[in-house]
């Protein structure tokens, strides 16, 4: 399957792995890229030297292109932004903010720049500032989210930009990829399904929680203070939502989630930690290698796309 995204990024399949903080390190990114998708190392809140080591370890795993995701709320975002320029990584994606101050520097280093956006306005602005593509991410995603659903956001973004659009949020299989292409996207970014990949380092308890999740098991915390985060329901989210309903402020709420993503991912504390995952978690039912996941998605999408012509027969 060829699209402007597979051409731009020099990848075989239009499947990009989400840059999940604490989760997406060299073994996941390297496996996804080696399998023909685009693997992404998530910088999260790590300092530049840690991300640099991950870049070097990913280069040991594959000669194929991979990317680095920069989480713009992180205090180390400026130093990571500089370091990826010096390293001339193939692709940079950004999340949770507006990366315009870095775009010229990245472009000068020959990097493909792909901001994640949750609104039409930011998509337009990113094109104007020189982005090569955008990820339009709907609120079905895990982690930090915007307001709009993928179904509503993707076609509206496609209508106002000429650069290619990558759809994200609520996509976990080949039906999702086929649907995203119908909306005008030219690739998909997938996070939740890769959480349970064999090459993904998240704790076994986290993988089991994702596999066990039903359709209605993700919840959004933090809407009251303007930093909504989607994760799987547990002791922490129940307590958080209770305190939010009591009108508690950001500082008090933050105490509940300090280090909580790390605790879930690394220590397997799926009761008190933050188990970030998207609404599609209910569809994720088995562990597979990254190559199996990607091939299954492509086979299923190709099958669906072949069926399309038959509706008018
Ligand atoms: O960034 C994400 N998802 C994330 S980041 C993350 S780490 C974190 N952990 C705890 C609390 C907060 C973050 C976990 N998940 N997705 C990309 C994304 N970006 N979704 C929404 C946005 C976004 C939202 C507002 C991008 C830009 C924006 O406004 C920028 C502006 O200044 O206009």
């Amino acid at each position: 399957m060829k699209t402007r995204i597979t051409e731009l990024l020099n990848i075989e399949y239009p499947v990009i792995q989400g840059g999940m903080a604490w989760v997406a390190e060299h073994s996941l990114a390297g496996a996804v890229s080696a399998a023909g998708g685009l693997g992404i190392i998530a910088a999260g809140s790590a300092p530049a030297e840690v991300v640099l080591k991950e870049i070097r370890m990913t280069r040991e795993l594959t000669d194929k292109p991979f990317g680095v995701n920069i989480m713009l709320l992180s205090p180390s975002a400026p130093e990571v932004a500089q370091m990826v320029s010096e390293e001339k990584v193939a692709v940079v994606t950004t999340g949770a903010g507006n990366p315009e101050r870095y775009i010229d520097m990245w472009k000068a280093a020959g990097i493909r720049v792909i901001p994640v956006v949750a609104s039409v306005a930011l998509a337009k602005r990113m094109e104007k500032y020189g982005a090569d593509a955008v990820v339009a991410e709907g609120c079905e995603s895990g982690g930090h989210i915007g307001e709009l659903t993928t179904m509503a956001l993707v076609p509206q973004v496609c209508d106002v930009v000429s650069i290619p659009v990558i759809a994200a949020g609520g996509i976990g299989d080949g039906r999702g990829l086929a649907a995203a292409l119908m909306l005008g996207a030219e690739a998909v970014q997938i996070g939740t399904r890769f959480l349970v990949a064999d090459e993904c380092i998240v704790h076994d308890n986290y993988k089991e929680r994702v596999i066990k999740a039903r359709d209605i098991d993700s919840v959004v915390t933090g809407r009251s203070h303007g930093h909504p985060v989607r994760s799987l329901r547990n002791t922490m989210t129940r307590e958080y939502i209770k305190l939010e309903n009591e009108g508690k402020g950001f500082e008090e709420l933050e105490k509940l989630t300090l280090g909580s993503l790390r605790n879930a991912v690394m220590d397997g504390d799926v009761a008190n930690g933050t188990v970030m995952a998207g609404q599609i978690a209910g569809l994720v039912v088995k562990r597979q290698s990254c190559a199996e996941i990607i091939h299954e998605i492509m086979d299923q999408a190709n099958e669906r796309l072949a069926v399309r012509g038959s509706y008018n027969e």
Side-chain angles (χ1 to χ4, degrees), residues 244-301:
E244 265 192 307
N245 290 339
E246 289 168 7
K248 295 287 193 302
F250 179 66
E251 251 100 83
E252 189 151 350
L253 293 165
E254 211 186 19
K255 284 185 211 150
L256 270 181
T257 53
L258 209 65
S260 65
L261 176 60
R262 190 213 154 275
N263 294 345
V265 171
M266 308 297 283
D267 301 340
D269 185 356
V270 295
N272 303 298
T274 302
V275 186
M276 290 185 187
Q279 288 186 333
I280 206 69
L283 179 137
V284 177
V285 292
K286 60 177 187 288
R287 300 178 188 222
Q288 290 169 298
S289 68
C290 289
E292 285 166 343
I293 291 172
I294 292 173
H295 293 145
E296 198 173 289
I297 289 170
M298 291 313 303
D299 287 347
Q300 197 181 19

Side-chain angles (χ1 to χ4, degrees), residues 71 73 95-98 116 118 122 137 143-144 146 229 276:
M71 210 278 279
L73 288 173
N98 178 344
V116 178
L122 191 61
E137 186 182 280
H144 178 75
V229 169
M276 290 185 187

Side-chain angles (χ1 to χ4, degrees), residues 118-130:
S119 71
V120 163
L122 191 61
K124 264 190 190 163
R125 205 170 160 102
M126 293 300 95
E127 177 172 55
K128 190 172 126 203
Y129 279 82

